[in-house]
Amino acid sequence: MTSTLRLEKITPDNFDVAIGLRVRPDQEHLVAPVVKSLAEAYVYPGIAWPRLILDGDRPVGFLMAFFDIDWRGDGTGTDIRSGLWRLNIAAGEQGRGYGRFAVESVAAQIRRRGCTHMTTTWHPGAGGPESFYLRLGFQLTGETSGDQTVGELDLRIGLDPSDRRETS
């Protein structure tokens, strides 16, 4: 991983590159393709935050965050959450710290918005990303969202970009 990592808004100029990103074939059942995420971002424009992950000018992944959603969906506003909705690191780019960069970037956005916790979900089971998220400090909440496990990171104590831990 180099020091030239950045996020870029999805535009007409990089749309085709973004939707062309693919995870490893054995991971395709674990995460939605980028094109589905962009469709959801269109439907939820005030909530979704899709970004292309670049190393220099080279696209290496895609992330989509969500901000201030009514997690329970009951209209009471008693459980408002922000977090990482999707993370797709390109097949040939995994294991280079890009996933950690993506999570740190979303955490920074959530902190800037005054929130102290970050939520994400993942498919459980072999080959899934659970160990990645747990190494970053996410804790299992005991909840599920559809068929996915829910994890939460306390941003007051975890994933400080100045505290770079190895994630192998």
Side-chain angles (χ1 to χ4, degrees):
M1 183 173 71
T2 68
S3 61
T4 60
L5 292 177
R6 70 183 197 287
L7 299 180
E8 189 171 282
K9 186 176 181 177
I10 307 299
T11 67
D13 292 334
N14 63 20
F15 174 79
D16 286 331
V17 169
I19 65 168
L21 286 169
R22 300 281 185 273
V23 296
R24 292 188 333 240
D26 64 309
Q27 297 170 327
E28 289 175 349
H29 69 286
L30 299 172
V31 66
V34 174
V35 70
K36 180 177 185 202
S37 296
L38 292 176
E40 289 169 328
Y42 176 81
V43 173
Y44 300 103
I47 294 169
W49 192 72
R51 295 294 186 268
L52 190 60
I53 305 166
L54 297 167
D55 187 347
D57 291 328
R58 189 167 50 91
V60 297
F62 169 86
L63 70 80
M64 187 161 72
F66 63 90
F67 299 118
D68 302 325
I69 66 163
D70 179 355
W71 186 259
R72 289 191 188 114
D74 61 7
T76 64
T78 58
D79 191 8
I80 303 299
R81 299 189 196 184
S82 297
L84 182 63
W85 191 346
R86 295 271 161 62
L87 179 58
N88 304 54
I89 302 298
E93 305 294 348
Q94 296 179 14
R96 298 181 179 163
Y98 300 129
R100 181 180 180 94
F101 169 78
V103 173
E104 287 174 349
S105 297
V106 172
Q109 282 293 323
I110 292 170
R111 280 189 190 101
R112 278 195 278 284
R113 294 165 183 260
C115 297
T116 59
H117 290 81
M118 176 177 176
T119 301
T120 196
T121 62
W122 60 83
H123 283 282
E130 182 169 293
S131 63
F132 166 75
Y133 288 116
L134 296 179
R135 280 194 314 268
L136 292 178
F138 283 87
Q139 301 292 313
L140 299 172
T141 66
E143 302 167 284
T144 57
S145 178
D147 61 350
Q148 295 190 22
T149 298
V150 179
E152 186 173 83
L153 179 67
D154 186 336
L155 297 176
R156 297 168 296 186
I157 58 173
L159 201 63
D160 181 348
S162 65
D163 175 30
R164 291 203 174 258
R165 295 172 288 211
E166 289 298 317
T167 59
S168 30

